[in-house]
Amino acid sequence: MRYADFIKGNEGFQYSINIQYDLMNPGKIKGYIPTRKSIEILKEYLLNVVVDDREKATVLIGPYGKGKSHLLLVLLGLMSGNNQIPELNGLIEKIKLIDKTCAEVAENVLENKKYLPVVINFNSGDLNQAFLVALNQALKNEKIQDILPETYFDAALSVLDGWEKYEDTIVRVKKLINKKCNLELDSFRRNLKSFNGEIFEVFKKIFKEITSGVEFNPFINTDVVKLYEQANHILKEQYNYDGMVIVFDEFSKFIEASADVNSAMNLKILQDFAELSSRSKSPQMHLICVTHKTINEYISKIPQEKIDAWRAIEGRFKEILFNASSQQNYELISNAIVKDLNKVKDVLSKMELYSNKRVWSAQGLFDYDNEEYREQIIEGCFPLNPYSTYTLPIISEKVAQNERTLFTYLSKDEPNSLIDLVNDTENEFDLVTIDKLYDYFEPLFR
């Protein structure tokens, strides 16, 4: 009997997760493998939704590749999807096998709640711009138009429209744009539409020259925190949303950049968002920041004068740790290898591996009794030799980004991967030994 007849990889783990681009991706939701730890954290976030006085400003902390992004992807799916999506119903069935209470809360949220997912990507150094771009994109994804109040960027674009009616004026404007920022008019417009603060400053200088010294002052509210609050209320009143869930992905990049000269305004925006989220009732606003270490570990490296401001912000967030234990790693490996368990047991019996000394000699490496060791390691992680099961997470963590490489090994059909071995009809083996792991990871050791 060929292993390929009853063993295959979980394709949902072949590639890493991008929260913004994978949002509501059926394949990513279907491919999610829940563990006891991940469901514990998922339940905490779901309870934050259904219980008003729980924390709504949090920092999710976990090392690279531990599954934080995938966890948040399914959380956003439950908060923004509906029970007509089969993959979300299937997800709840998976959750039910681990934690029935969490499954009930998840089902309640899926059926009765609706939140706008907003994903913050911090790249420019301007947090105001990052929040404006993210909200604009989130509303666009939901095909909700004209909900945002006018900003000074809109006012600047309106002025450009007016100037285009006068040929001599617009020719002069184009020359000034090219001189001051080396852009064409269309590109200049796109930057304003993307809430680019630096380009807006250029526009103000051009406005002053065109108007012979008049300062550009549109008297328009551009407080991004107020803007989010207003938009959230409109979403509830006009579109029946229960609120927003804001995910600040790669929050660690923002912390590391906080020593820049413009960080004071950025820190004030972040603090105001945390406070707004914490006091929100109806509609709710959830702010989830994602990091690899605690805030305290990051701020120890920034200038002393910035630390006090960060201490004030740190106190406004609840930190949630996501560290997978060894047992959870083995649980993930077992679930990532999609198999017919009855056929696995049949093969183990025929090959007399249940009583094989080299199979049982590894038991001391695992915190399992005999029955758990047989079910979780020998059967669950078949066709990995128990020593390979123990070694795989360790090697993966040393050479790359933890489970990302681990699951690539388990799930992707490429040279020397598990699936490549399973599909190989020429070379017979009973269990995957450590030397076969080495063949796959060897290029990464260089």
Side-chain angles (χ1 to χ4, degrees):
M1 181 183 295
R2 293 175 60 244
Y3 288 170
D5 293 334
F6 59 94
I7 294 175
K8 61 181 180 178
N10 186 328
E11 295 180 357
F13 269 98
Q14 286 189 13
Y15 306 101
S16 61
I17 297 293
N18 182 302
I19 298 175
Q20 183 174 23
Y21 298 118
D22 290 328
L23 193 62
M24 299 310 295
N25 181 319
K28 298 295 185 181
I29 295 170
K30 185 177 180 180
Y32 184 66
I33 296 177
T35 65
R36 284 182 288 274
K37 182 61 178 179
S38 66
I39 296 307
E40 176 187 322
I41 293 173
L42 181 65
K43 180 163 68 173
E44 180 159 0
Y45 275 114
L46 291 171
L47 286 172
N48 289 348
V49 173
V50 298
V51 180
D52 279 340
D53 59 354
R54 287 175 63 94
E55 297 289 345
K56 293 179 176 60
T58 60
V59 179
L60 180 62
I61 304 160
Y64 282 102
K66 290 298 182 185
K68 301 184 301 297
S69 294
H70 212 164
L71 172 67
L72 290 174
L73 192 73
V74 299
L75 172 66
L76 294 181
L78 292 168
M79 292 179 70
S80 63
N82 60 68
N83 58 8
Q84 302 303 309
I85 300 172
E87 289 80 11
L88 289 172
N89 292 317
L91 170 67
I92 290 174
E93 291 304 311
K94 289 182 184 178
I95 296 171
K96 195 177 293 183
L97 297 174
I98 297 173
D99 188 326
K100 290 183 180 179
T101 302
C102 182
E104 289 173 4
V105 178
E107 195 167 24
N108 177 24
V109 170
L110 183 61
E111 290 181 358
N112 302 308
K113 303 292 184 181
K114 184 182 181 183
Y115 287 80
L116 178 75
V118 182
V119 181
I120 308 295
N121 286 306
F122 181 77
N123 296 310
S124 68
D126 184 350
L127 196 59
N128 191 78
Q129 179 186 2
F131 270 90
L132 283 170
V133 169
L135 180 56
N136 190 53
Q137 185 61 52
L139 293 170
K140 186 178 178 181
N141 291 344
E142 295 298 308
K143 297 180 172 54
I144 299 175
Q145 305 298 327
D146 303 324
I147 187 175
L148 287 178
E150 193 175 62
T151 68
Y152 49 63
F153 294 97
D154 299 308
L157 288 164
S158 295
V159 170
L160 284 175
D161 289 340
W163 284 341
E164 284 198 291
K165 295 175 183 178
Y166 305 96
E167 186 175 345
D168 290 345
T169 303
I170 200 63
V171 168
R172 187 180 171 199
V173 168
K174 287 179 179 178
K175 288 180 179 178
L176 286 169
I177 290 172
N178 189 263
K179 178 182 177 182
K180 292 181 183 298
C181 58
N182 196 30
L183 292 175
E184 299 298 323
L185 178 60
D186 287 345
S187 180
F188 190 77
R189 280 182 171 278
R190 284 195 296 272
N191 275 276
L192 286 174
K193 287 179 181 178
S194 298
F195 310 106
N196 188 312
E198 291 181 3
I199 294 301
F200 177 72
E201 291 301 317
V202 173
F203 169 82
K204 289 200 298 183
K205 292 176 183 176
I206 292 171
F207 183 89
K208 193 171 182 178
E209 291 193 34
I210 294 294
T211 59
S212 302
V214 177
E215 297 284 349
F216 181 70
N217 187 7
F219 295 104
I220 293 172
N221 175 29
T222 52
D223 183 333
V224 69
V225 181
K226 292 264 186 208
L227 188 146
Y228 263 71
E229 187 174 20
Q230 292 169 14
N232 205 18
H233 280 281
I234 295 171
L235 283 169
K236 179 175 176 58
E237 293 162 7
Q238 298 183 16
Y239 296 93
N240 297 316
Y241 279 81
D242 293 284
M244 295 180 183
V245 52
I246 305 166
V247 174
F248 197 151
D249 201 15
E250 298 290 353
F251 183 59
S252 50
K253 290 181 181 178
F254 170 72
I255 303 175
E256 290 166 349
S258 68
D260 292 347
V261 291
N262 294 325
S263 68
M265 180 60 71
N266 283 345
L267 294 182
K268 178 67 166 62
I269 290 171
L270 180 63
Q271 183 172 321
D272 289 347
F273 265 107
E275 291 174 354
L276 175 61
S277 300
S278 295
R279 68 173 185 265
S280 67
K281 299 286 185 184
S282 180
Q284 294 180 353
M285 182 177 288
H286 298 263
L287 176 59
I288 305 170
C289 299
V290 186
T291 68
H292 308 302
K293 298 181 289 188
T294 65
I295 291 177
N296 185 58
E297 288 178 274
Y298 283 107
I299 65 176
S300 62
K301 299 177 183 178
I302 67 175
Q304 184 63 40
E305 62 270 17
K306 304 285 186 183
I307 290 181
D308 289 342
W310 266 110
R311 290 287 181 217
I313 289 173
E314 184 182 23
R316 287 169 169 79
F317 285 89
K318 179 179 180 180
E319 295 189 337
I320 298 176
L321 298 175
F322 186 10
N323 289 316
S325 68
S326 297
Q327 289 189 359
Q328 285 149 9
N329 284 331
Y330 309 139
E331 188 179 345
L332 285 167
I333 293 171
S334 175
N335 287 320
I337 304 172
V338 181
K339 53 197 170 291
D340 183 325
L341 193 55
N342 288 327
K343 290 184 179 178
V344 167
K345 291 178 180 180
D346 185 47
V347 169
L348 286 166
S349 296
K350 287 181 178 177
M351 297 175 71
E352 298 183 348
L353 290 173
Y354 277 124
S355 57
N356 190 295
K357 288 184 179 180
R358 65 188 172 93
V359 170
W360 282 93
S361 64
Q363 187 179 4
L365 298 172
F366 303 90
D367 188 20
Y368 290 126
D369 61 28
N370 287 357
E371 184 177 352
E372 290 171 332
Y373 180 71
R374 176 178 55 79
E375 291 179 356
Q376 298 292 328
I377 304 301
I378 298 177
E379 296 173 353
C381 298
F382 182 87
L384 295 181
N385 177 293
Y387 287 102
S388 298
T389 299
Y390 177 79
T391 304
L392 180 56
I394 299 172
I395 294 179
S396 177
E397 189 161 345
K398 292 293 183 185
V399 298
Q401 291 189 3
N402 305 328
E403 282 86 0
R404 291 184 184 178
T405 299
L406 182 156
F407 282 108
T408 302
Y409 170 76
L410 294 172
S411 304
K412 195 170 184 180
D413 188 1
E414 58 186 20
N416 298 315
S417 70
L418 176 65
I419 302 307
D420 182 49
L421 291 173
V422 165
N423 291 334
D424 188 350
T425 57
E426 296 181 6
N427 298 310
E428 292 188 4
F429 64 94
D430 52 5
L431 295 173
V432 177
T433 49
I434 292 177
D435 60 305
K436 290 185 171 63
L437 291 185
Y438 179 84
D439 290 341
Y440 178 77
F441 287 105
E442 187 267 339
L444 299 174
F445 293 143
R446 295 172 184 169

